[in-house]
Structure formats: structure tokens, C-alpha cells
Amino acid sequence: RVDLMLVPTALSYPPLFGEEGEGGAATGGTEAFANDVMTVPASLAGLPAISVPVRVPPSPHGSRSSSSSPGNADGGGGDDDDGGGRTATAAAASAMVGLQLFGPQLSEETVLRAAAVLEETS
């Protein structure tokens, strides 16, 4: 039995400030659609779910780019300027990502309490 599940809200990091692409985002239509795939199961099953913003610590292996995934150990890419005078490594230090909590049906109170704790500690 599991009380709660914690999964990423999206499959990749949010775009760095100044990156452009389809719809102003750093992703194409296919990638943007794929990023939504993590929110679909709880929604279709009618399970209570919430996405909580959490700060991502900088990777000891280098910077991140929006096309790399949060689970990618090397973060992808080098220390290129992000267009705002900071390197991508500096931008990664302040990156926020969404973590989704969901639970069984009728567990809204548990999900919300856990989300509050996660948000306070991140």
C-alpha cells in the first residue's frame, strides 16, 4: 500500500530566461505535449494531485539546459551565458521545477498537507 506518490510534473527543466521557441517557450510542440504526460495519469484516474515548486540544487557535474531532464546527472550543456549576464550554472542554482504529489481517491487532505510540508522545506 502506498499513501502518496511523488513524481516530476514535467520531463524537462523549464526554459532559461531569454530562450525562445514555439509559443515563447524553449520547446517545440511535441516536447511541450510530452511534458504534460506526467500529469495525465492522476487526472484520468480521478486522483487528487498537486504540483509543488521546488528549488533544484546545482549539479556538481555542470550546468543544465532546458532540453536536459532534471534526472540527467550531467545536466547537459556547458557554462554558456544565459543572455542575462549569468552562466547557465548560475541559472541552475536558482532553478525551480515542479514535483507532483498524488494519492488515492478521497485523500485530498493528506495530499495538501504533504504538499505544504514539501513546499516549506524546499
Side-chain angles (χ1 to χ4, degrees):
R1 179 163 144 49
V2 175
D3 293 322
L4 295 170
M5 295 283 292
L6 179 67
V7 298
T9 301
L11 297 176
S12 63
Y13 285 107
L16 294 172
F17 181 75
E19 287 184 346
E20 294 181 18
E22 183 177 317
T27 60
T30 303
E31 187 177 345
F33 179 75
N35 271 329
D36 286 341
V37 75
M38 299 303 289
T39 62
V40 172
S43 180
L44 290 178
L47 302 176
I50 187 169
S51 181
V52 180
V54 295
R55 190 163 306 281
V56 177
S59 171
H61 303 289
S63 67
R64 71 160 181 100
S65 69
S66 63
S67 60
S68 65
S69 68
N72 185 356
D74 70 1
D79 286 336
D80 298 327
D81 186 325
D82 71 354
R86 301 181 307 165
T87 64
T89 301
S94 61
M96 298 293 282
V97 298
L99 288 181
Q100 180 183 201
L101 278 165
F102 65 92
Q105 290 180 339
L106 304 176
S107 66
E108 288 86 351
E109 186 175 344
T110 302
V111 170
L112 290 172
R113 285 183 183 183
V117 170
L118 181 61
E119 189 172 27
E120 288 173 11
T121 60
S122 64

